[in-house]
């Protein structure tokens, strides 16, 4: 078993992450008082994937107009919904991702309001945007960003008279780090078993939907492909039966990321099919975790954080079993392209 530094996790995510609540509320409130036309959630790679859950949450719970855009495409597509009245939200661990910094400059130059969540202080992205929250540590940065984005997005909904449960919700956000910690402990043995079993597996299908689609996309691309050089494909459950199912045979690794939102029946359908065909089916279901103190109403939103945290335990065990550092790259930030 690989050690999980509980004290560091709680310090970075619980104590320091939650400390930004008042600052987030001040930023969002000032923007809402001024008025805005829409939200643009912009990123690249893992950070655009991070935005997809919040696009789903807004589209299924709010009338606020929202877009999630890949930074490089956004700058060339001439999006007719984008204007000086748009609010553009970015996240970046390093604060140096070329496409993200360029997109933030693009938005600010055109008069839009820009907000960024960044781990590393005094980096290019922190200096470009109108508002910046700097968490100060790359360690557990995604866990922290997810929590901060809950507060950002639901504050916008609250100010739009669409989420009167905001106070209750943010109290439960404060319980989330402990719930994550309990889930990680509960899942750790399964994570290790998965890595041992699949250390030589050369292809995985990852299936997700709803507010877990971003995690599905991110884990396949940023972890399995980028960090472990394993062939992987992210498949939306709603599209699984249009092409991809023809490649499932008895030894195909199919990983299902099941959440608790309205799209769960789509995942159930894929599971019923896959369990008939392959003997290499893995189901990671947030319903299996207790989430002490979290109400049934909000579990579907918090599944994003729980799912990402337990997936991260698979990552560290794959690193060990495959003797392949998660920091090893052939091309990314090494080769000009």
């Amino acid at each position: 078993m690989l050690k999980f530094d509980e004290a560091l996790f709680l310090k970075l995510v619980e104590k320091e992450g939650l400390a930004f609540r008042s600052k987030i509320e001040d930023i969002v409130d000032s923007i809402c008082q001024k008025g805005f036309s829409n939200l643009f959630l912009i990123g690249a790679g893992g950070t655009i994937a991070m935005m997809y859950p919040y696009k789903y949450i807004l589209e299924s719970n709010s009338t606020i107009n929202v877009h999630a855009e890949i930074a490089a495409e956004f700058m060339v597509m001439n999006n007719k919904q984008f204007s000086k009245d748009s609010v553009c939200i970015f996240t970046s661990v390093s604060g140096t991702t070329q496409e993200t910094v360029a997109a933030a400059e693009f938005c600010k130059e055109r008069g839009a309001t820009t907000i960024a969540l960044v781990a590393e202080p005094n980096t290019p992205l922190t200096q470009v945007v109108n508002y910046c929250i700097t968490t100060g540590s790359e360690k557990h940065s995604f866990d922290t960003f997810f929590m901060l984005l809950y507060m950002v997005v639901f504050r916008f909904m609250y100010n739009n008279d669409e989420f009167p449960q905001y106070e209750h919700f943010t109290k439960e956000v404060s319980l989330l780090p402990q719930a994550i910690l309990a889930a990680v402990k509960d899942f750790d043995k399964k994570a290790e078993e998965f890595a041992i079993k699949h250390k030589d597996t050369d292809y995985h299908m990852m299936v997700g939907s709803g507010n877990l689609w971003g995690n599905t996309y991110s884990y396949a691309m940023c972890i399995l492909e980028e960090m472990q050089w394993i062939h992987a494909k992210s498949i939306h459950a709603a599209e699984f039966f249009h092409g991809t199912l023809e490649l499932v045979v008895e030894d195909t690794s199919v990983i299902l990321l099941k959440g608790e939102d309205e799209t769960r029946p789509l995942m159930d359908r894929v599971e019923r099919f896959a369990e008939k065909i392959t003997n290499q089916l893995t189901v990671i279901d947030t319903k299996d975790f207790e989430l002490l103190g979290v109400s049934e109403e909000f579990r579907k939103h918090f599944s994003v954080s729980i799912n990402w945290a337990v997936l991260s335990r698979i990552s560290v065990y794959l690193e060990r079993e495959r003797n392949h550092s998660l920091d090893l790259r052939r091309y990314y930030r090494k080769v000009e392209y």
Side-chain angles (χ1 to χ4, degrees), residues 98-268:
Q98 184 178 350
E99 300 99 317
T100 304
V101 174
E105 291 173 340
F106 177 93
C107 295
K108 191 175 180 183
E109 286 170 1
R110 285 155 182 78
T113 301
T114 52
I115 307 171
L117 308 178
V118 186
E120 291 296 328
N122 304 313
T123 50
L125 186 58
T126 68
Q127 297 163 18
V128 170
V129 295
N130 299 113
Y131 302 99
C132 187
I133 292 176
T134 306
T135 61
S137 174
E138 292 194 12
K139 189 72 173 174
H140 298 300
S141 55
F142 267 45
D143 296 303
T144 305
F145 287 170
F146 279 135
M147 285 184 41
L148 299 181
L149 285 168
Y150 287 133
M151 291 186 274
V152 170
V153 165
F154 283 91
R155 188 67 178 185
F156 272 110
M157 286 197 288
Y158 171 74
N159 286 341
N160 205 44
D161 296 326
E162 293 175 320
F163 194 67
Q165 315 98 303
Y166 178 78
E167 283 298 326
H168 182 198
F169 176 78
T170 49
K171 287 179 183 176
E172 294 197 9
V173 170
S174 70
L175 301 176
L176 191 53
Q178 292 288 348
I180 291 172
L181 191 56
V184 165
K185 289 179 179 178
D186 187 39
F187 187 74
D188 201 73
K189 189 173 187 299
K190 293 178 182 177
E192 184 175 24
E193 290 171 350
F194 177 93
I196 293 170
K197 179 179 179 181
H198 287 287
K199 66 184 178 68
D200 296 319
T201 300
D202 59 5
Y203 174 65
H204 297 279
M205 291 183 180
M206 293 202 69
V207 186
S209 65
N211 61 19
L212 290 191
W213 168 242
N215 287 6
T216 310
Y217 175 73
S218 183
Y219 201 82
M221 176 176 62
C222 298
I223 308 299
L224 295 180
E225 291 182 337
E226 179 181 327
M227 297 184 181
Q228 286 295 296
W229 302 351
I230 298 171
H231 294 282
K233 178 176 173 61
S234 53
I235 309 127
H236 197 290
E239 288 288 273
F240 181 85
F241 295 96
H242 297 273
T244 304
L245 82 166
E246 292 296 337
L247 299 180
V248 181
V249 292
E250 65 179 8
D251 63 346
T252 305
S253 173
V254 179
I255 305 169
L256 306 185
L257 304 186
K258 295 185 73 173
E260 301 171 56
D261 61 44
E262 303 80 2
T263 68
R264 187 177 174 90
L266 304 179
M267 295 296 295
D268 290 337

